């Protein structure tokens, strides 16, 4: 029997695992995108009825079985909305006797008249698969049905009775440890985002025939019908187990369709705007006379073909060539004479009258040939720098004023003062200082 039980175990567990993995593939998108928002750990407590029989059928060693109180605790890890692993623990008592015949009327002639088994513990790891969501378009359901299967170890002590004798220890009161395979179904109701009502029933198949102290060569079993509460752990606001990826997919598809429609509307509006801009651009670039200047900017819209135009679209006017200024030696001599004879009153900008004749010839030369003239005033180092700068500037301006009074174009005469900064001789001698006190004339 042990061999058959071990062969059945992988089949049952594998079926649930395959179903869980297949459903997990459908919900990968949900778990990866919302993993930080949904609680995946939970604990549960429950209580109910333990009975040493199976409603699914099979051989019962005692004709009169009884239900006793049992209680359990589990911790669960939810991997996807459909699949989880649960670590269960159950304790309680199992009892039965032959005080009544079987329902068929047959009398049990077993040498063991009664038994009492204390289930010290039953610890098992179970794969739990949520079978389906009640409302596939509801993002968070309130009712789920599930199935579970797993394997573990049960530890128990047995007492038996023969005839009218009282209960005595089986195998000297030794705690027996055997492999147990629980297979169950259940329904879960969401009471709040963190608390669930859990109703379930589990059939536990033992890998031995001594649960009731009566060894007949067939494996014993016991059932556990329970109700309890499950509490979500974690900082999230909702539980992954109640999350419905089908509804999320539907919502996302609907949102995508709405977004696509909105984008289509935006695209049509953009096309209309582009068409309008294209028309406005054609108007802006329209060039009737083909001169390269748009009509909106063309001040001469009827320019003949081939005419070179300026930026306003009008025929380009070529400026007259500038005549080259030719300064002769005679011109330079007129200027040199004026410089040679130029005298000012002492420490003043007043031109002495003896300088008028040569300055008059310079003025006539400027008028006749339309020359330009630069006047640069200079002083020696006698006096302060500021005084010499003002004096040199004033003397140059005085010469300019005289030349303008004689008919020279004021815009063609430039007067600048340099003070004592550009000496042409030593200021240590009177002759040198005399040379440095000057106004230079430059024709151009």
């Amino acid at each position: 029997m042990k061999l058959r039980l071990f062969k059945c175990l992988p089949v049952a567990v594998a079926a649930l695992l395959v179903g869980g993995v297949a459903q997990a593939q459908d919900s990968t998108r949900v778990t990866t995108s919302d993993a930080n928002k949904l609680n995946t750990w939970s604990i549960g407590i429950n209580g109910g009825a333990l009975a040493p029989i199976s409603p699914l059928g099979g051989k019962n060693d005692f004709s009169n079985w009884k239900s006793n109180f049992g209680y359990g605790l589990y911790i669960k890890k939810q991997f996807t909305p459909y699949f989880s692993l649960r670590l269960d623990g159950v304790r309680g008592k199992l009892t039965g006797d032959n005080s009544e015949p079987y329902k068929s009327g047959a009398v049990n002639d077993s040498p063991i008249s009664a038994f009492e088994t204390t289930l010290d513990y039953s610890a098992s790891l179970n794969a739990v698969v949520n079978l389906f969501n009640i409302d596939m378009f509801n993002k968070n359901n309130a009712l789920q049905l599930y199935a579970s299967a797993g394997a573990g170890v049960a530890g128990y002590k047995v007492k038996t009775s023969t005839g009218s004798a009282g209960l005595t220890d089986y195998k000297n009161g030794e705690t027996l440890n055997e492999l147990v395979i629980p297979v169950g179904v259940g329904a879960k109701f969401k009471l709040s985002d963190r608390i669930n009502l859990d109703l379930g029933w589990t059939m536990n198949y033992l890998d031995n025939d001594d649960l009731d102290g009566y060894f007949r060569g067939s494996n014993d079993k016991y059932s556990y019908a329970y109700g309890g509460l499950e509490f979500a752990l974690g900082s999230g606001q909702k539980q992954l187990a109640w999350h419905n990826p089908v509804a999320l997919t539907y919502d996302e598809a609907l949102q995508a369709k709405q977004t696509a429609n909105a984008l289509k509307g935006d695209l049509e509006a953009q096309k209309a705007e582009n068409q309008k801009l294209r028309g406005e651009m054609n108007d802006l670039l329209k060039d009737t006379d083909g001169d390269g200047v748009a009509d909106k900017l063309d001040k001469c819209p009827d320019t003949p073909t081939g005419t070179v135009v300026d930026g306003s679209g009008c025929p380009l006017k070529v400026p007259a060539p500038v005549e080259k200024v030719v300064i002769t030696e005679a011109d330079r001599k007129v200027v040199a004479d004026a410089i040679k004879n130029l005298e000012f009153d002492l420490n003043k900008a007043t031109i002495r009258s003896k300088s008028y004749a040569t300055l008059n010839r310079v003025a006539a030369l400027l008028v006749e040939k339309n020359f330009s003239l630069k006047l640069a005033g200079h002083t020696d180092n006698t006096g302060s720098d500021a005084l010499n700068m003002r004096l040199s500037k004033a003397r140059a301006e005085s010469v300019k004023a005289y030349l303008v009074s004689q008919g020279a174009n004021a815009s063609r005469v430039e007067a600048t003062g340099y003070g004592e900064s550009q000496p042409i001789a030593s200021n240590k001698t009177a002759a040198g200082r005399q040379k440095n006190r000057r106004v230079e004339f430059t024709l151009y």
Side-chain angles (χ1 to χ4, degrees):
M1 292 304 297
K2 287 189 176 183
L3 181 59
R4 288 198 301 270
L5 193 56
F6 277 116
K7 287 182 178 179
C8 294
L9 172 61
V11 176
V13 176
L16 284 176
L17 288 177
V18 169
V21 170
Q23 293 171 341
Q25 291 175 346
D26 293 335
S27 59
T28 300
R29 173 177 49 77
V30 176
T31 57
T32 54
S33 61
D34 295 343
N36 295 326
K37 303 177 184 178
L38 304 175
N39 294 322
T40 60
W41 286 95
S42 61
I43 59 173
I45 55 174
N46 51 62
L50 280 169
I53 57 97
S54 170
L56 301 178
K59 181 181 289 188
N60 295 326
D61 294 341
F62 292 82
S63 59
N64 183 35
W65 56 268
K66 298 178 181 179
S67 295
N68 292 276
F69 178 71
Y71 58 94
L73 173 72
Y74 66 79
I75 183 168
K76 186 181 73 172
K77 168 64 176 178
Q78 194 78 34
F79 293 96
T80 77
Y82 298 106
F83 179 75
S84 63
L85 287 179
R86 192 178 70 195
L87 184 62
D88 285 86
V90 177
R91 297 190 69 185
K93 280 191 177 183
L94 299 165
T95 60
D97 58 40
N98 294 318
S99 60
E100 297 179 4
Y102 289 108
K103 291 182 179 181
S104 64
V107 176
N108 192 336
D109 57 357
S110 168
I112 307 298
S113 61
F115 80 95
E116 178 183 283
T117 298
T118 301
L119 186 63
D120 291 332
Y121 67 88
S122 173
S124 61
L125 180 63
N126 297 277
V128 181
V129 175
N130 294 337
L131 299 179
F132 61 88
N133 293 300
I134 300 304
D135 183 355
M136 67 181 299
F137 293 110
N138 187 3
K139 284 184 282 189
N140 283 281
N141 291 297
L143 170 61
Q144 288 179 341
L145 302 181
Y146 65 87
S148 65
V153 177
Y156 51 90
K157 296 178 182 177
V158 183
K159 291 184 178 182
T160 59
S161 175
T162 58
S164 60
L167 295 171
T168 59
D169 289 334
Y170 176 73
K171 292 188 176 180
N172 299 319
E174 177 186 351
T175 297
L176 306 177
N177 298 288
E178 297 293 344
L179 172 69
V180 63
I181 297 178
V183 179
V185 293
K188 196 168 292 185
F189 302 84
K190 185 170 72 171
L191 302 180
S192 71
D193 286 333
R194 288 187 171 272
I195 302 176
N196 308 320
L197 174 62
D198 188 12
L199 303 178
W201 177 81
T202 304
M203 195 66 233
N204 300 271
Y205 296 93
L206 206 66
D207 191 27
N208 209 327
D209 189 30
D210 56 2
L211 180 66
D212 53 12
Y214 184 27
F215 192 87
R216 299 177 61 189
S218 61
N219 294 87
D220 284 332
K221 50 196 170 295
Y222 62 93
S223 63
Y224 178 45
Y226 60 87
L229 295 176
E230 181 181 28
F231 302 91
L233 304 176
S235 59
Q237 298 300 314
K238 298 182 181 299
Q239 303 174 55
L240 177 59
W242 293 106
H243 222 57
N244 187 351
V246 176
L248 286 181
T249 301
Y250 176 79
D251 286 351
E252 290 178 359
L254 184 61
Q255 181 64 36
K257 183 177 180 180
Q258 294 173 346
T259 301
N261 291 336
L263 289 175
K264 184 178 180 181
D266 292 343
L267 181 60
E268 294 299 327
Q270 190 61 50
K271 285 182 178 179
E273 183 67 20
N274 290 343
Q275 187 65 31
K276 179 182 177 182
L277 290 175
R278 192 175 293 109
E280 294 176 353
M281 184 63 68
N282 290 335
D283 290 341
L284 287 174
L285 298 178
K286 186 178 180 181
D287 181 13
T288 304
D289 56 10
D291 60 0
V293 179
D295 290 351
K296 288 185 177 294
L297 303 176
D298 199 339
K299 294 181 179 180
C300 303
D302 299 322
T303 305
T305 302
T307 303
V308 179
V309 298
D310 57 19
S312 64
C314 295
L316 182 65
K317 295 180 180 179
V318 181
V322 179
E323 295 183 3
K324 183 178 180 181
V325 177
V326 179
I327 301 174
T328 66
E329 287 299 325
D331 299 334
R332 291 190 177 91
K333 186 176 185 307
V334 172
V335 172
D337 289 343
I339 294 173
K340 181 179 180 181
N341 293 295
L342 181 60
E343 292 185 7
F344 297 93
D345 289 343
L346 184 63
N347 291 329
K348 294 182 180 179
T350 305
I351 303 173
R352 292 179 177 176
S353 58
K354 64 173 294 187
S355 304
Y356 292 163
T358 53
L359 288 176
N360 290 342
R361 288 195 290 273
V362 172
L365 180 63
L366 296 178
V367 173
E368 178 187 353
K369 294 191 175 183
N370 203 27
F371 285 151
S372 295
L373 178 67
K374 180 177 180 180
L375 300 169
H378 302 274
T379 67
D380 59 22
N381 65 348
T382 303
S384 66
D385 292 346
L387 176 62
N388 289 333
M389 181 63 71
R390 288 196 300 271
L391 181 58
S392 65
K393 174 68 174 175
R395 286 180 172 177
E397 290 289 350
S398 180
V399 174
K400 175 180 179 179
Y402 183 81
L403 293 174
V404 170
S405 70
Q406 299 302 309
N409 188 342
S411 64
R412 287 185 170 276
V413 181
E414 177 186 355
T416 307
Y418 294 95
E420 61 185 75
S421 63
Q422 298 181 9
I424 58 174
S426 174
N427 282 311
K428 293 182 179 180
T429 63
R433 289 191 293 274
Q434 178 63 36
K435 290 181 179 180
N436 290 334
R437 294 192 294 272
R438 69 197 188 279
V439 176
E440 295 179 346
F441 291 51
T442 305
L443 284 174
Y444 61 96

